[in-house]
Each structure stands twice: as structure tokens, then as C-alpha cells.
């Protein structure tokens, strides 16, 4: 008992190790978005394949939907894309693409080559809508509820686990919420 | 195949970088006062793509776009605060190199001060307790040789 206080540095050491160990698994690139639980920024963009057709945020009011930011130049998108194509086959919710700072032809070619999971793709040539959504690393995805509020943001590519454990349960919950409105 | 891909990728990066700089240089000369204000604001903002650079310093595509955005907002006569609000609304407080003082950032701001004060208090307590201790609680000072060097030092050449 007399020597108990000599263990204090040891405990402090273990505390520090605990924090540092936790830090190994934190990704500083994942900056929590301030847009969660806020209305999605208003936008009106032409469709990727139909430059004359405009698509607005409010077109999707009343539906739970996913907005996935992608670009043909984005390497991580290629990794994520097969998962989205697979997920879109479940027809759980409408998925829209935001073709971010891309050439129209490149974006369309990319979708033709790797498959098109989107119900429609919006074309954001100069990245302004991307800025409004706080996009800083493609791919990013936003889950938007029936009232047009952003409820979840996936930073970086979706993983099979993220789709199974986060996205799908949340989509089902939001769709249930929307049913009661 | 892989090499060719890599080479074209490198080329694309090199060309892309060149283009970005070329795009950016044009408006810079237009109005030196506006440009200086733009740089002073963007020097306060973190580039989220390369997190240890400011938006003023970074050559990332997003930083180039955001500098242009700030220029346009200044041209519309918006204040510095309006621009900072615009950025935090999209990217959060993390974008500010000087985060605001609020409940979530309190530890960040007061933490170092609290630790300094705690350390000083500990130091004073320990020193005061020691000064009150009787002399026999301490090891006796080592006896010294006549020339002032410590006793029993094997390295010390025998004279």
C-alpha cells in the first residue's frame, strides 16, 4: 500500500497508450459534415445525358433518396461503383449521381463502361453544387429524407459493411418515418 | 499495361496541375486589393483536401475553386464574416484555423492552460512539503574531496 503511488505513472502511461491506440483507428480525413440534419442545399442542375432537362432538389421531396458524388477521374469511385450497381438492383430507393467536375462525355462513357446504378445523373461541371454540399473528396454520398433533410453522409467509398449496417437500416427507418407523415 | 496506365496518370496530374494554375492566374491580376483580401481570408481557412495547408496555399482543385468563390463573394461586397460563415456552414468549424470558443472546442482552448496551472500547483505543493521535512528524510550529501570533485568516482584519474 505504501508503494501504491509509484504505480500512478504506470496508470498515466496506460491511459496515454489507450488514447494513442484509439487514435490509430481515427481517420482525420473524415470531417463530420455540419449539413447532417439540415435541409439539403437547393440546386437545379442539368442531367448528364440530357443537357436540356433540369433537375431540382424539390423534385425529390416526399422520397427518401441517395445522392452519390462521382467522377470519371476519381479512382476510389471505381472501387465503390460495383457495390452501388449491386445495391441499386435491390431497388430500395432512388439513387442519383452527381457527376462532379467532369467532362460530360467522360462521365457518360464511364457509366456505360462500369454500369449505371443511377435513376439519373446530375451534371455539376464547375463543382458549385459540390461546394454547397461541402464535398471535399469524391466519392461522397448523401442520404436525404422525404422532407429534403440530409440524414447521413458517407465520406469516401461505401464498403459492403457500411451499406449493410448503416445505409440499409437507415433507409428503412426513414421510409417508415415518411410513411407516417 | 500497368506502366502505361501509370505514365498517363502522371501526365494527367502534371497537365491538370498546370491547367489549374493557369486558370487561377488570370483573375489574380485584375484587382490587387481584392486579391490581397482574398488571400488574407483564405489564409485563415483549412484546405480539406490537404489538411495541413491553407486554402490560400493549396493547389488542390477544391482550393482553387474556393479561392474563386471567395473572390466572387468579395466582388458582391460580402464581409469577411459572411464568407467565413459560408465556409463553416459547408465544411464545419474544422475549416477554420482559429476555431470558435464553444462547448465542443472548450477543451482545445482551455486544456493547455489548465494543464500548466495544474503542473505549477503540484510543483508548489511538493516544494512546500519538502521544505517542511526534517533533514534526516533526505540522503546525506556526498562527501567531497578536498579539490571539490565528488568522491569515489572511478573515472577520476588518481592523482
Amino acid at each position: 500500500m505504501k508503494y501504491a503511488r509509484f504505480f500512478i505513472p504506470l496508470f498515466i502511461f496506460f491511459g496515454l497508450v489507450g488514447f494513442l491506440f484509439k487514435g490509430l483507428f481515427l481517420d482525420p480525413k473524415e470531417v463530420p459534415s455540419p449539413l447532417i440534419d439540415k435541409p439539403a442545399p437547393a440546386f437545379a442542375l442539368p442531367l448528364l445525358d440530357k443537357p436540356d432537362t433540369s433537375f431540382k432538389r424539390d423534385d425529390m421531396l416526399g422520397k427518401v433518396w441517395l445522392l452519390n458524388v462521382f467522377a470519371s477521374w476519381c479512382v476510389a469511385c471505381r472501387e465503390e461503383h460495383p457495390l452501388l450497381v449491386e445495391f441499386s438492383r435491390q431497388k430500395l430507393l432512388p439513387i442519383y449521381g452527381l457527376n462532379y467536375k467532369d467532362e460530360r462525355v467522360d462521365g457518360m462513357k464511364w457509366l456505360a463502361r462500369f454500369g449505371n446504378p443511377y435513376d439519373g445523373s446530375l451534371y455539376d461541371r464547375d463543382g458549385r453544387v459540390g461546394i454547397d454540399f461541402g464535398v471535399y473528396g469524391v466519392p461522397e454520398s448523401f442520404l436525404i429524407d422525404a422532407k429534403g433533410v440530409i440524414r447521413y453522409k458517407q465520406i469516401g467509398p461505401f464498403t459492403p459493411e457500411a451499406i449493410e449496417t448503416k445505409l440499409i437500416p437507415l433507409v428503412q427507418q426513414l421510409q417508415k418515418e415518411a410513411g407516417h407523415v | 499495361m500497368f506502366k502505361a496506365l501509370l505514365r498517363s496518370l502522371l501526365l494527367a496530374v502534371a497537365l491538370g496541375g498546370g491547367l489549374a494554375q493557369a486558370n487561377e492566374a488570370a483573375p489574380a491580376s485584375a484587382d490587387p486589393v481584392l486579391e490581397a483580401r482574398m488571400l488574407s481570408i483564405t489564409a485563415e481557412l483549412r484546405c480539406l483536401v490537404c489538411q495541413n495547408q491553407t486554402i490560400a496555399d493549396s493547389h488542390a482543385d477544391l482550393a482553387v475553386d474556393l479561392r474563386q468563390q471567395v473572390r466572387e463573394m468579395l466582388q458582391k461586397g460580402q464581409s469577411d464574416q459572411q464568407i467565413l460563415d459560408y465556409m463553416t456552414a459547408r465544411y464545419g468549424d474544422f475549416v477554420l484555423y482559429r476555431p470558435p470558443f464553444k462547448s465542443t472546442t472548450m477543451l482545445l482552448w482551455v486544456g493547455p492552460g489548465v494543464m500548466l496551472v495544474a503542473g505549477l500547483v503540484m510543483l508548489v505543493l511538493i516544494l512546500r512539503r519538502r521544505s517542511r521535512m526534517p533533514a534526516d528524510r533526505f540522503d546525506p550529501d556526498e562527501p567531497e574531496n578536498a579539490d571539490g570533485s565528488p568522491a569515489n568516482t572511478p573515472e577520476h584519474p588518481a592523482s
Side-chain angles (χ1 to χ4, degrees):
Chain A
M1 214 48 234
K2 194 180 160 197
Y3 296 105
R5 64 198 184 99
F6 292 118
F7 286 101
I8 293 174
L10 190 70
F11 289 131
I12 293 176
F13 171 75
F14 279 125
L16 198 62
V17 166
F19 278 117
L20 292 175
F21 188 74
K22 170 88 175 121
L24 287 177
F25 303 98
L26 295 177
D27 184 1
K29 285 267 167 198
E30 278 199 17
V31 181
S33 173
L35 289 167
I36 304 286
D37 292 332
K38 301 244 171 68
F43 62 84
L45 282 174
L47 291 179
L48 179 64
D49 49 351
K50 297 186 200 106
D52 302 327
T53 313
S54 167
F55 183 91
K56 297 190 299 295
R57 175 193 66 180
D58 294 347
D59 291 349
M60 291 308 285
L61 276 181
K63 285 183 203 143
V64 180
W65 62 293
L66 188 73
L67 181 68
N68 173 248
V69 185
F70 76 101
S72 67
W73 46 262
C74 155
V75 181
C77 299
R78 206 169 291 190
E79 200 181 296
E80 174 188 64
H81 208 66
L83 284 174
L84 278 179
V85 173
E86 177 75 29
F87 176 63
S88 69
R89 295 212 180 97
Q90 296 186 26
K91 301 245 172 268
L92 201 59
L93 81 171
I95 304 175
Y96 280 81
L98 182 71
N99 189 222
Y100 177 69
K101 298 195 68 155
D102 210 349
E103 295 298 335
R104 203 180 274 277
V105 183
D106 293 346
M108 286 165 68
K109 266 195 206 154
W110 196 81
L111 288 181
R113 185 169 162 201
F114 296 105
N116 187 350
Y118 306 122
D119 296 84
S121 288
L122 323 177
Y123 184 56
D124 187 18
R125 174 73 193 89
D126 52 10
R128 285 304 165 93
V129 172
I131 289 179
D132 281 342
F133 271 87
V135 171
Y136 62 89
V138 197
E140 288 183 14
S141 305
F142 298 84
L143 182 62
I144 299 168
D145 74 8
K147 290 179 191 142
V149 175
I150 297 176
R151 299 296 287 268
Y152 174 71
K153 178 183 182 185
Q154 173 77 22
I155 298 165
F158 267 117
T159 57
E161 299 82 59
I163 290 184
E164 284 299 323
T165 61
K166 289 188 193 149
L167 184 63
I168 293 180
L170 193 54
V171 168
Q172 285 163 344
Q173 181 205 325
L174 293 180
Q175 284 174 339
K176 214 176 276 174
E177 270 177 33
H180 287 299
V181 168
Chain B
M1 163 65 197
F2 181 70
K3 251 185 185 165
L5 190 73
L6 196 71
R7 203 175 301 139
S8 56
L9 199 71
L10 280 176
L11 193 69
V13 168
L15 285 176
L19 275 178
Q21 284 167 29
N23 285 342
E24 185 199 346
S29 52
D31 180 352
V33 181
L34 187 123
E35 200 60 17
R37 264 191 79 195
M38 186 280 289
L39 283 177
S40 82
I41 294 171
T42 50
E44 293 282 320
L45 297 171
R46 184 193 305 275
C47 172
L48 287 175
V49 181
C50 27
Q51 294 184 348
N52 288 332
Q53 274 190 310
T54 64
I55 288 178
D57 288 338
S58 175
H59 285 294
D61 246 14
L62 181 65
V64 175
D65 290 352
L66 287 176
R67 283 199 291 269
Q68 185 56 33
Q69 180 71 32
V70 171
R71 271 188 206 105
E72 284 170 21
M73 291 176 81
L74 286 173
Q75 275 160 359
K76 282 186 213 147
Q78 301 205 16
S79 72
D80 292 14
Q81 193 54 48
Q82 276 173 311
I83 293 171
L84 294 183
D85 289 347
Y86 173 92
M87 294 296 172
T88 42
R90 283 158 182 74
Y91 303 104
D93 289 337
F94 189 67
V95 77
L96 302 174
Y97 266 109
R98 280 188 263 186
F101 188 86
K102 55 189 196 186
S103 59
T104 47
T105 57
M106 196 148 84
L107 199 61
L108 189 68
W109 281 104
V110 299
V114 167
M115 294 225 288
L116 181 69
V117 170
L120 285 176
V121 167
M122 288 272 278
L123 186 68
V124 167
L125 284 179
I126 289 171
L127 287 180
R128 276 177 57 185
R129 197 196 301 161
R130 286 182 144 218
S131 70
R132 273 189 259 109
M133 280 178 185
D136 60 350
R137 291 287 301 275
F138 298 95
D139 288 339
D141 290 340
E142 293 210 354
E144 288 179 356
N145 291 338
D147 62 352
S149 64
N152 304 326
T153 43
E155 299 90 353
H156 195 71
S159 45

